[in-house]
């Protein structure tokens, strides 16, 4: 069989070779581990970013937190367009059509720059009234305005970086996004350290040395974040032009015009994904409003559980990206049998990895919560909610992996439908029932979330067993 796709780096070994078909788990892990590590490093960089901003005071933390829902909304648009191009690239690579691959890659650059420009314009337009609309305190408003204004300036490279990372992953190369994001995140952390804090003395044994600092506070954090996005976009564009990969294009000798047929195909995938992200964002905001009425201690326990749980399902997103690439390439090559093997193997391997990560967290839920709080009430309540989250994490992670499979096959309407049913039909209703009539508090909230995720997992297993997900690719 002819070679169609590079599995990693410069190698042009096909995923459709007999050797690969007999080593499906090895192929999955070869693509999945860089994606998982990339997600982990991004999360760690975000936590460090949060800690650095938090160290300069509550006003700084609040000025960033008040903008978080807007950031989620922006990320939803960028994620949607990246999903569309992930589908197109994986299928073109599976078809072994280099002309189509180059055309899609060029259009991914054009569309991401246009989307980033529109988002930047929107943010710059509303960044000043936004914190006022959201009810920020008087002392928070100017910092929140400046923070969002600077973040907006980096939205073009951010959109470009997210889309190009997806393009590389869908072509079978997960190490390039890992290396590029690692470099950019390291630069962001260093930039934070230099731009947030003022000039200060750093103790070094018995002496102290002066350390330069711009002392820009939250504005420094935003400036470092935006600068790192420009760096990341530059690295990915350079690699795109110089490194031999299935998606390599000459940056200054390519046609970047949008072709209507490909754009419509991309939109057919991206629009349901956008609706799915909007469903998630709006549902999370509604849940936060409901949970905030329970009091400070339950809200703190919920927040810490949420933050810790976010680390637990990072492997699921790595396997989800891998599923999009391998399933998309298989279906692009008209190999539905291979797509089926990849889908089930990814679900099984992903489930084993996630359960292995969750077991120690469930056993040590108390000590884990103590790492983030010294309040006895928060520790006691957070230990229970984290235990529930760890024990039932597999349910949500299975749904995340299945979403990756659906994006690779074009069956995005199914994942959208399950998200709407889960968030607005089940989760919010069950949380209301647990917190109001049943008076189960925050423990009831996490039991409700577990029930929602379990039902989603059952629906996903049914969809995979039916085989109908393979009938929806364009």
């Amino acid at each position: 069989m002819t070679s169609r796709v590079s599995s990693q780096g410069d190698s042009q070994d096909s995923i459709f070779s007999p050797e690969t078909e007999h080593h499906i788990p090895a192929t999955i892990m070869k693509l999945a581990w860089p994606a998982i590590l990339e997600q982990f490093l991004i999360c760690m960089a975000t936590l460090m970013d949060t800690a650095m901003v938090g160290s300069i005071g509550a006003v700084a933390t609040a000025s960033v937190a008040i903008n978080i829902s807007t950031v989620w909304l922006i990320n939803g648009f960028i994620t949607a367009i990246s999903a569309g191009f992930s589908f197109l690239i994986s299928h073109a690579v599976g078809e072994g059509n280099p002309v189509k691959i180059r055309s899609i890659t060029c259009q991914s650059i054009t569309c991401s720059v246009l989307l980033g420009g529109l988002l930047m314009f929107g943010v710059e337009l509303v960044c000043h009234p936004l914190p006022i609309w959201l009810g920020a305190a008087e002392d928070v408003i100017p910092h929140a305005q400046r923070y969002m204004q600077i973040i907006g300036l980096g939205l073009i490279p951010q959109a470009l970086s997210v889309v190009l990372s997806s393009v590389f992953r869908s072509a079978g190369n997960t190490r390039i996004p890992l290396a590029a994001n690692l470099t950019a995140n390291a630069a962001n952390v260093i930039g934070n350290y230099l731009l947030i804090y003022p000039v200060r003395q750093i103790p070094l044994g018995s002496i102290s040395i002066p350390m330069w600092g711009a002392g820009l506070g939250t504005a420094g954090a935003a400036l470092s974040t935006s600068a790192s996005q420009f760096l990341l976009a530059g690295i990915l564009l350079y690699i795109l032009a110089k490194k031999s990969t299935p998606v390599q294009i000459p940056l200054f000798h390519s046609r970047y015009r949008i072709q209507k047929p490909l754009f419509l195909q991309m939109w057919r995938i991206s629009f349901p994904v956008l609706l799915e992200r909007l469903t998630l964002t709006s549902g999370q905001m509604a849940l936060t409003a409901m949970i905030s009425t329970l009091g400070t201690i339950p809200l703190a326990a919920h927040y810490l559980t949420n933050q810790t749980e976010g680390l637990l399902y990072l492997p699921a997103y790595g396997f989800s990206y891998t599923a999009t690439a391998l399933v998309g390439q298989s279906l692009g090559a008209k190999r539905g049998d291979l797509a089926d093997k990849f889908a089930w193997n990814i679900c099984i391997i992903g489930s084993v990895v996630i359960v292995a990560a969750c077991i120690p967290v469930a056993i040590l839920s108390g000590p884990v919560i103590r790492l983030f709080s010294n309040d006895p009430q928060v520790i006691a309540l957070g230990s229970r909610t984290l235990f529930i989250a760890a024990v039932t994490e597999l349910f949500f992670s299975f749904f995340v992996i299945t979403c990756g499979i659906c994006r690779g096959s074009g069956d995005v309407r199914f994942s959208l439908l399950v998200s709407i049913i889960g968030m607005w039909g089940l989760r919010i209703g069950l949380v209301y029932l647990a917190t109001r009539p049943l008076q189960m508090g925050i423990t009831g909230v996490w039991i409700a979330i577990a029930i929602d995720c379990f039902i989603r997992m059952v629906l996903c297993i049914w969809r995979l067993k039916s085989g109908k997900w393979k009938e929806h690719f364009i």
Side-chain angles (χ1 to χ4, degrees):
M1 186 171 293
T2 59
S3 176
R4 294 177 183 267
V5 61
S6 169
S7 60
Q8 285 289 358
D10 296 328
S11 171
Q12 295 297 319
D13 299 328
S14 171
I15 68 164
F16 309 107
S17 65
E19 293 78 12
T20 298
E21 291 185 45
H22 285 94
H23 298 88
I24 284 179
T27 301
I28 291 169
M29 289 307 300
K30 186 177 182 180
L31 293 180
W33 77 259
I36 295 170
L37 182 57
E38 178 190 347
Q39 293 302 301
F40 179 77
L41 292 174
I42 290 173
C43 183
M44 290 295 99
T46 301
L47 290 176
M48 291 180 68
D49 201 40
T50 302
M52 288 182 177
V53 170
S55 68
I56 59 176
V59 170
T61 300
S63 66
V64 175
I66 197 69
N67 289 307
I68 195 65
S69 59
T70 306
V71 172
W72 288 345
L73 181 62
I74 291 169
N75 289 340
F77 282 95
I78 298 175
T79 299
I81 192 175
S82 70
F85 282 110
S86 292
F87 171 85
L88 293 177
I89 285 289
S90 62
H91 280 255
V93 170
E95 293 169 10
N97 189 336
V99 174
K100 188 176 180 181
I101 292 170
R102 284 194 295 270
S103 177
I104 295 168
T105 304
C106 289
Q107 289 188 75
S108 73
I109 294 174
T110 303
C111 289
S112 57
V113 169
L114 289 175
L115 175 64
L118 289 173
L119 292 173
M120 180 183 71
F121 177 76
V123 168
E124 298 305 317
L125 195 64
V126 303
C127 64
H128 281 85
L130 184 63
I132 301 173
W133 294 342
L134 295 173
E138 286 293 329
D139 56 343
V140 171
I141 289 174
H143 298 283
Q145 291 171 333
R146 186 62 175 160
Y147 178 84
M148 204 63 203
Q149 183 180 34
I150 298 173
I151 288 293
L153 297 176
L155 290 179
I156 292 178
Q158 180 183 342
L160 186 60
S161 299
V162 171
V163 171
L164 287 181
S165 293
S166 295
V167 165
F168 279 117
R169 291 191 203 101
S170 299
N173 196 315
T174 52
R175 293 184 183 180
I176 287 175
L178 168 62
N181 277 281
L182 177 60
T183 303
N185 285 332
N188 184 29
V189 172
I190 295 171
N192 281 337
Y193 189 74
L194 296 175
L195 297 177
I196 293 175
Y197 305 112
V199 175
R200 57 209 180 280
Q201 296 292 322
I202 304 297
L204 190 64
S206 59
I207 62 172
S208 60
I209 58 174
M211 173 60 68
W212 180 87
L216 298 176
T218 53
L223 186 60
S224 179
T225 298
S226 292
S228 68
Q229 294 295 345
F230 278 96
L231 174 62
L232 177 56
I235 292 172
L236 291 173
L237 285 171
Y238 178 82
I239 294 174
L240 188 70
K242 298 297 183 180
K243 190 173 179 61
S244 176
T245 65
V247 295
Q248 183 182 21
I249 58 171
L251 291 181
F252 301 106
H253 302 281
S254 295
R255 297 171 65 87
Y256 291 88
R257 295 177 183 175
I258 294 176
Q259 297 178 13
K260 187 176 179 180
L262 287 175
F263 178 80
L264 292 177
Q265 284 184 316
M266 183 274 293
W267 181 247
R268 285 178 60 184
I269 302 298
S270 296
F271 185 65
V273 173
L274 175 60
L275 293 180
E276 180 186 335
R277 298 293 300 184
L278 293 178
T279 297
L280 174 64
T281 301
S282 59
Q284 290 288 9
M285 293 172 69
L287 284 174
T288 301
M290 294 171 63
I291 293 169
S292 63
T293 64
L294 298 177
T296 302
I297 298 299
L299 183 60
H302 175 73
Y303 173 76
L304 294 179
T305 302
N306 240 338
Q307 293 294 97
T308 308
E309 187 209 18
L311 295 173
L312 295 178
Y313 58 66
L314 287 179
Y317 282 100
F319 284 109
S320 180
Y321 297 143
T322 302
T324 299
L326 294 177
V327 168
Q329 291 178 22
S330 300
L331 292 176
K334 312 301 182 187
R335 289 293 307 274
D337 60 322
L338 189 57
D340 202 58
K341 290 179 182 178
F342 276 128
W344 283 108
N345 274 271
I346 289 171
C347 287
I348 293 169
I349 295 171
S351 297
V352 170
V353 170
I354 289 154
V355 169
C358 289
I359 287 174
V361 175
I363 294 173
L364 302 171
S365 59
V368 170
I369 291 294
R370 288 191 190 95
L371 294 174
F372 303 101
S373 176
N374 56 11
D375 187 301
Q377 291 179 286
V378 173
I379 293 171
L381 195 54
S383 300
R384 291 199 296 271
T385 54
L386 181 57
F387 176 81
I388 296 170
V391 168
T392 61
E393 184 58 44
L394 174 63
F395 306 155
F396 180 70
S397 294
F398 197 96
F399 168 70
V400 170
I401 295 171
T402 304
C403 285
I405 295 171
C406 290
R407 290 174 185 178
S409 68
D411 190 23
V412 289
R413 290 181 179 84
F414 170 75
S415 56
L416 169 62
L417 180 61
V418 173
S419 294
I420 293 173
I421 293 172
M423 180 59 75
W424 287 100
L426 286 171
R427 183 171 298 194
I428 290 178
L430 290 171
V431 167
Y432 178 83
L433 183 66
T435 56
R436 301 301 191 274
L438 298 181
Q439 296 290 308
M440 296 174 65
I442 198 66
T443 303
V445 168
W446 280 92
I447 292 174
I449 292 172
I451 294 172
D452 160 37
C453 293
F454 176 76
I455 294 174
R456 293 195 204 194
M457 184 181 73
V458 170
L459 291 173
C460 289
I461 293 173
W462 167 80
R463 188 66 171 183
L464 291 175
K465 288 178 68 67
S466 73
K468 293 181 178 179
W469 56 275
K470 291 181 289 184
E471 301 171 2
H472 285 72
F473 70 94
I474 299 172

